[in-house]
Amino acid sequence: MGFIFSKSMNDSLKAQQEFMLMNSRLQLERQLLMQNQMRERQTAMQIAWTREFLKYFGTFFGLTAVGLTAGAIKKKNPGVLLPIVPLSFVFAYQYDMGYGTLLQRMKG
């Protein structure tokens, strides 16, 4: 009688172990899906923030370019246009991040 009882316990234990293994695999798959979804949301938020920042920075860059150009013409000194160079690099980077393929290139 002890043999029959222990055999049914072993079968029950094996079934429980298989269930726990299947459950842990399912939980791991769900965690991976949730991590991917959170990463996609974070990327979408970063792109949205960059596009919003680009609106304000583009306005600033445009006004600065017009103002510096007018100042360079008025003073007849092309050195006044020098700050446009680093501002244009920042503008190009932000534009590529918001509307270009920067994030895809970074992933690759």
Side-chain angles (χ1 to χ4, degrees), residues 3 8 25 46 50-51 54 66-67 80 84 86 90 94 106:
F3 176 72
S8 68
R25 285 182 184 168
Q46 187 176 10
T50 301
R51 288 180 179 176
L54 188 61
V66 169
V80 175
I84 291 179
V90 173
Q94 292 296 330
M106 285 171 42

Side-chain angles (χ1 to χ4, degrees), residues 2-90:
F3 176 72
I4 296 172
F5 183 68
S6 65
K7 185 177 180 184
S8 68
M9 286 290 285
N10 285 340
D11 291 341
S12 174
L13 184 63
K14 283 183 183 181
Q16 188 176 9
Q17 285 176 343
E18 289 176 10
F19 174 75
M20 289 173 59
L21 180 64
M22 184 183 68
N23 197 18
S24 65
R25 285 182 184 168
L26 183 63
Q27 186 178 9
L28 182 63
E29 288 176 10
R30 287 179 180 168
Q31 284 177 350
L32 289 173
L33 286 173
M34 189 170 63
Q35 284 177 351
N36 288 337
Q37 190 178 37
M38 291 299 290
R39 186 174 24 252
E40 288 174 4
R41 286 182 183 178
Q42 187 177 11
T43 303
M45 278 294 286
Q46 187 176 10
I47 291 172
W49 183 88
T50 301
R51 288 180 179 176
E52 190 67 25
F53 176 77
L54 188 61
K55 290 177 189 176
Y56 293 104
F57 187 77
T59 304
F60 168 73
F61 178 72
L63 291 174
T64 303
V66 169
L68 289 175
T69 304
I73 291 172
K74 192 173 190 180
K75 292 187 177 191
K76 296 184 180 170
N77 182 7
V80 175
L81 292 173
L82 202 58
I84 291 179
V85 175
L87 289 176
S88 65
F89 280 107
V90 173

